[in-house]
Amino acid sequence: MPASKGVIEAAWTWTGEQFQRDVQVIVDRHGRIEKLAPAGRPATHRLPGQALLPGFVNAHSHGFQRGMRGRGEGFPTGSGALWSWREAMYDLVLELDATSLYSLTSQAFREMRAAGITTVGEAHLVHHTLDEVDYVIRTGDVIGKQIDAAVGRL
C-alpha cells in the first residue's frame, strides 16, 4: 500500500451521507482517498470555513467544442436552429488538427478542473485520425484528470 501523502481537514466533510465536522480525509501519494477518519492526526492541508466534497464527474464531454464559444450562438433572425449550430460545429472540426485539438481540450479540462470536475468521459467526435484520441488522453494526463475516451467518428 502506498505511503500516505497527506491528511486533509476541512470545517465540514461530506461522508457520503451527510456533512460532518471533525473528519479527516487520508489520501495516498497519488491524491486518491484512502479513507475517512476521526480528527486527531496532524493535518497537512487545512480548509477552515470550507466544505470538502469528492470531485464531480462530467460523464459526457466534447472538449473540442470549447472552440464553439461565440461561433454558434448568433445567426440572422429566423435562421438559427440546431442545423445552423451543427454546421458551425462541422466548420470547427474541419479546422482542427492535433495541436489545436490538444489546445482546446486542455483549456476545457482546465476550466472543468477549476469548477471541481475531476473525472471526464470524453466523447471524441472529430473525424481526422485516431491519433487525435492520444492527444485527448494526454491532455487529461497533463491536467491530472482521469479520462475515459469514448471514440466516435463523424
Side-chain angles (χ1 to χ4, degrees):
M1 175 172 266
S4 291
K5 174 179 129 181
V7 177
I8 304 169
E9 185 173 311
W12 304 275
T13 300
W14 180 253
T15 64
E17 296 179 13
Q18 63 184 356
F19 282 103
Q20 289 185 352
R21 290 184 171 276
D22 301 320
V23 172
Q24 292 179 323
V25 179
I26 314 303
V27 295
D28 69 18
R29 63 188 175 93
H30 302 290
R32 293 186 192 107
I33 296 172
E34 288 182 352
K35 64 181 178 177
L36 300 180
R41 294 167 180 78
T44 54
H45 303 292
R46 291 194 184 277
L47 304 170
Q50 297 181 48
L52 184 61
L53 296 159
F56 298 110
V57 175
N58 179 345
H60 187 108
S61 171
H62 301 288
F64 78 93
Q65 287 182 358
R66 171 64 179 85
M68 287 288 296
R69 291 186 187 169
R71 294 177 71 158
E73 292 85 4
F75 298 100
T77 303
S79 69
L82 172 63
W83 299 114
S84 303
W85 178 90
R86 184 175 175 265
E87 290 304 316
M89 191 264 301
Y90 278 121
D91 288 345
L92 171 64
V93 167
L94 292 173
E95 294 171 13
L96 293 175
D97 59 17
T99 301
S100 58
L101 175 65
Y102 179 82
S103 176
L104 285 172
T105 306
S106 293
Q107 184 175 2
F109 288 174
R110 280 192 304 274
E111 291 169 357
M112 285 187 260
R113 178 89 171 187
I117 296 169
T118 58
T119 302
V120 176
E122 178 65 21
H124 185 71
L125 295 173
V126 295
H127 71 283
H128 300 294
T129 69
L130 289 177
D131 291 340
E132 291 168 342
V133 176
D134 292 333
Y135 278 86
V136 173
I137 292 169
R138 188 174 62 129
T139 301
D141 290 342
V142 169
I143 305 300
K145 296 178 146 329
Q146 172 187 348
I147 300 298
D148 296 315
V151 181
R153 289 168 92 51
L154 294 177

